[in-house]
Amino acid sequence: MDIEIIAQEELEDGHVLKVRASLPAKEKERLVSEAFEMFARQMQLDREKNPDVKQALVDAAGEETVNRMISSYVITEAGPSVINMLNLNTMFSPEPLYDTTVLDEGDFEFEVVFILKPSYELTSYEPLTVKMPKYEVTSAMLSDRLSELMDRYATYELAGGDTVDIGDCAYTEIETTRSGEILKGLTGPNHLIHLQYGLMPDGFIDGIAGMKVGETKEFDFDAPRDDAETIEDTEVYHTKITVKDKRRRVVPALTDAFVKKNFSQKAKTADEFEQVITAEIQGELDKQSGASRDLAVDDALAKRLEGKIPDLYYEHSQSDLMGSLQYQLQRQQMTFEQYLAQQGMEENQFNMLLMMQAMGVLRQGFALDALYRHLNEPITDEDIEFALSQLAPGHEEEARKEFDERNTWFVAREVAERLKAHKWAMAHTVFEG
């Protein structure tokens, strides 16, 4: 991208660089056109009814807002070219300064602020020693997994007695309505109902408990609305039910015959099947162990970092982490308040955890940077390929195309450098259990 650098100014003790640059009119117009097209798609504008996209956006959001939106897009797209021209080592997204309008004719002068990556050293570059717990299959783990597997093969057998009660299973013919409308999920001639609190509303379970085989009964019960935000937000349901018979849930025993019938592709006997499941659990534990080792090594390396990290970096790191969370919540159609409730946290607890996470991410990253500089090993094509596989697993070619188009290979290179340093650290760490 053809950009002219007009002026540079260091701020915040050299941690921030403000750059004033100029983008030629032709290049600006291309980016402005891209921006309008993108925002038109996002707003789902009908192009036949709104052939003038710019005017439609201005009518919808106002000229000042549109200018900021378009300016932000143009400056963000121009940012990587500035970084490459000045050979900057930056962190976080460039921050546009909106003191001009991109919608005017001619060249576009703009200002953008970059957070520069600081350089630190480690107290030692010697191999690490890290204590790790043993990840071994216990008898309790095996028992729980086998119980879970066998539970899937439970059957419902006829039981003695003519009265169904809590803990029993009732084979029923049932019709349930809400405001006169039949609920298909709780209506039919052959419904098996487990009388256990928590599986269905308490009023429904209480209405059936004590019924005799062959008895028909009608009753109302309360259940949460489909769009309920609290458990108290309920509506009335009506049920007519006939108990056809009483049953009990039977979980089969793990025997050689059962294994031969249901798991012959895995084992021939019950003992062999237990060995297979033990190996599967151990494989899962090994994966957990690998991930835990990765984190433990990076954390141990971070403890060797020398120097104080300015608050500026913590603030931006927290902002990035919060932005990522808000994006995820938006995709899940969940509010931040709902997320806090789900996690069982107060906002001050969350803010403290966010701060700790930001500190950990920054220190680990800077420690890996320091180790890579100490190793002084060139980045190879294989290192870049591995970085792409971690950045966009299964979509490496798309990532490669985007790096080419946006001229942002410095991002992939930084990832490759840190992965190379991490790989060295893992290979030179003694793990004690």
Side-chain angles (χ1 to χ4, degrees), residues 236-247:
V236 177
Y237 292 70
H238 181 79
T239 284
K240 178 180 180 181
I241 185 169
T242 299
V243 176
K244 300 169 75 171
D245 61 43
K246 174 181 176 180
R247 305 205 174 202

Side-chain angles (χ1 to χ4, degrees), residues 1 25 51 54 99-100 164 198 251 336 343 371 375 389 391 413:
M1 191 177 295
K54 174 184 174 181
D99 60 348
T100 57
V164 293
V251 178
F336 178 60
Q343 299 299 314
L371 178 57
L375 295 175
S389 72
L391 285 167
R413 183 174 181 82

Side-chain angles (χ1 to χ4, degrees), residues 29-268:
E29 289 166 6
R30 178 182 66 82
L31 292 174
V32 167
S33 178
E34 286 181 5
F36 276 125
E37 288 298 323
M38 182 186 72
F39 290 125
R41 288 195 300 271
Q42 290 179 353
M43 296 179 68
Q44 298 180 331
L45 283 181
D46 186 328
R47 299 303 297 273
E48 292 186 4
K49 295 181 179 179
N50 299 279
D52 187 341
V53 174
K54 174 184 174 181
Q55 190 59 51
L57 289 174
V58 169
D59 291 342
E63 188 168 351
E64 182 178 349
T65 298
V66 170
N67 178 64
R68 288 178 66 89
M69 290 165 55
I70 304 301
S71 294
S72 179
Y73 179 87
V74 172
I75 298 173
T76 299
E77 289 299 302
S81 293
V82 177
I83 291 172
N84 286 315
M85 288 177 66
L86 298 178
N87 196 27
L88 301 179
N89 203 358
T90 67
M91 299 181 65
F92 314 114
S93 299
E95 299 177 9
L97 299 178
Y98 306 101
D99 60 348
T100 57
T101 175
V102 74
L103 302 180
D104 289 343
E105 296 292 331
D107 296 347
F108 176 48
E109 279 196 17
F110 63 91
E111 285 189 327
V112 59
V113 170
F114 298 99
I115 310 297
L116 303 180
K117 183 194 287 188
S119 179
Y120 294 95
E121 294 294 334
L122 303 182
T123 57
S124 170
Y125 292 91
E126 295 297 315
L128 296 160
T129 299
V130 174
K131 291 185 177 181
M132 293 292 296
K134 290 185 178 180
Y135 287 79
E136 296 179 346
V137 181
T138 64
S139 57
M141 290 179 188
L142 178 60
S143 177
D144 288 345
R145 181 63 62 84
L146 290 174
S147 295
E148 179 185 322
L149 287 169
M150 299 305 294
D151 195 64
R152 299 174 187 173
Y153 290 85
T155 57
Y156 294 85
E157 301 177 359
L158 288 172
D162 61 357
T163 302
V164 293
D165 212 334
I166 304 301
D168 293 333
C169 297
Y171 197 54
T172 69
E173 179 176 345
I174 186 171
E175 180 181 280
T176 303
T177 58
R178 177 182 56 191
S179 301
E181 180 182 351
I182 293 178
L183 300 179
K184 294 181 179 180
L186 205 55
T187 296
N190 300 302
H191 265 260
L192 187 66
I193 297 173
H194 194 173
L195 274 67
Q196 179 177 324
Y197 292 119
L199 298 179
M200 288 292 289
D202 290 356
F204 180 77
I205 300 298
D206 290 337
I208 301 173
M211 288 183 65
K212 295 185 178 299
V213 175
E215 181 183 354
T216 298
K217 181 179 180 181
E218 293 190 44
F219 61 90
D220 293 335
F221 66 94
D222 292 333
R225 296 178 181 274
D226 292 339
D227 57 351
E229 294 185 1
T230 66
I231 195 170
E232 290 82 14
D233 188 6
T234 62
E235 58 186 328
V236 177
Y237 292 70
H238 181 79
T239 284
K240 178 180 180 181
I241 185 169
T242 299
V243 176
K244 300 169 75 171
D245 61 43
K246 174 181 176 180
R247 305 205 174 202
R248 63 188 180 94
R249 192 170 187 273
V250 179
V251 178
L254 181 61
T255 62
D256 292 348
F258 182 86
V259 169
K260 184 177 180 180
K261 178 182 178 181
N262 297 282
F263 299 110
S264 58
Q265 73 281 11
K266 288 189 174 183
K268 295 180 180 179

